[in-house]
Amino acid sequence: MSFDRTIKIAPSILSADFANFGQEIQAIEAQGADWVHVDVMDGHFVPNLTFGPAMCKAIRPHIKTVMDVHLMIAPVDPYIEAFAEAGADVITAHIEAGPHIHRTLQAIRANGAKAGVALNPGTPASAVEYLLDMVDLICVMTVNPGFGGQKFIHSQVEKVKELSRMIGSRPIHIEIDGGIDPTTAPLMADAGADVLVAGSAVFKGGSVSAPEVYGQNIRAIREAASGVYA
Ligand code: DX5
Ligand code: ZN
């Protein structure tokens, strides 16, 4: 995985057809997805349950781009090795998920994956100040984690601006996750985000038999976000 700050669209397969992940992934990648975002939930850290390392391993052969695994689980550390072995390129853990985020990030890198840290909407940007030399990605939650289709929380635009200033020229991605569509994407791109996760806004109206809708949805987000540089 090489580093750059161009806008990357990362569809969340939380909004895909759960009976058909392989074809859904092939469809979104063929339609322009840059990364594939995989939301892992444990029914404890967040009030919803999704999938674990075995599912990640099963879908891995279908992902030709980047497998971006967002862990909304607590504890995190006992599962890092399994998600790395499942083939995750990026593993993101929540700062709120345990008392030892520093150790967690070390473990992610030691297992050969890029290390991401996610911040819930109530967590300040300053929480990552002493982690900047050990993260490859900072994920700003723009909804409370747990479900797709929620409303974007506007106060997070300021947080992304602050993080962007803190990061400076360091090779750290800023990812935003939740409520991203062609209206909210440009606010975040302008603030400094480069990885835009979108679930409902990408999968809305499409299917593996109508994949061109995924393409239209992805392009609409990318063009809205890129417009800020035009
Ligand atoms: C929320 C997840 C998100 C979610 C985004 O807990 O982390 O990745 O799928 O879905 P939308 O884009 O529908 O808000
Ligand atoms: Zn996510």
Side-chain angles (χ1 to χ4, degrees):
M1 256 182 86
S2 58
F3 181 86
D4 70 61
R5 254 191 210 298
T6 57
I7 294 292
K8 290 161 281 294
I9 310 295
S12 163
I13 59 167
L14 190 60
S15 294
D17 173 4
F18 273 39
N20 210 0
F21 278 130
Q23 284 188 48
E24 289 276 49
I25 288 164
Q26 288 163 21
I28 54 171
E29 289 194 338
Q31 294 295 326
D34 300 286
W35 291 15
V36 176
H37 186 81
V38 184
D39 285 308
V40 175
M41 305 186 186
D42 68 351
H44 164 73
F45 178 67
V46 290
N48 195 5
L49 274 171
T50 56
F51 19 76
M55 211 288 291
C56 291
K57 193 172 186 170
I59 63 171
R60 175 71 260 194
H62 299 285
I63 300 177
K64 307 287 178 235
T65 58
V66 170
M67 186 175 183
D68 176 34
V69 176
H70 178 192
L71 297 181
M72 286 159 275
I73 64 174
V76 183
D77 295 7
Y79 302 102
I80 291 171
E81 193 179 345
F83 283 103
E85 274 176 9
D89 296 295
V90 182
I91 298 178
T92 297
H94 270 262
I95 201 161
E96 307 86 1
H100 298 296
I101 187 68
H102 194 281
R103 177 184 293 152
T104 301
L105 294 168
Q106 280 178 326
I108 294 172
R109 281 192 171 170
N111 276 279
K114 299 283 185 196
V117 62
L119 308 182
N120 278 336
T123 303
S126 59
V128 299
E129 193 176 345
Y130 291 93
L131 302 172
L132 294 177
D133 58 347
M134 55 197 318
V135 290
D136 302 292
L137 176 147
I138 300 173
C139 173
V140 175
M141 292 307 302
T142 37
V143 297
N144 285 301
F147 302 96
Q150 302 183 82
K151 199 171 175 305
F152 179 83
I153 301 173
H154 273 271
S155 60
Q156 304 306 300
V157 175
E158 208 40 58
K159 190 194 285 184
V160 168
K161 285 186 184 164
E162 201 179 331
L163 284 167
S164 185
R165 282 193 295 271
M166 279 168 68
I167 288 170
S169 59
R170 293 178 180 87
I172 301 175
H173 296 290
I174 299 183
E175 176 176 77
I176 45 160
D177 188 2
I180 298 305
D181 61 22
T183 313
T184 52
L187 304 173
M188 284 311 205
D190 191 29
D194 64 300
V195 184
L196 314 184
V197 175
S200 22
V202 166
F203 286 91
K204 175 186 69 174
S207 70
V208 293
S209 17
E212 65 285 352
V213 178
Y214 296 159
Q216 289 158 13
N217 291 342
I218 290 170
R219 271 194 305 283
I221 299 170
R222 194 191 308 282
E223 281 166 16
S226 307
V228 298
Y229 301 114

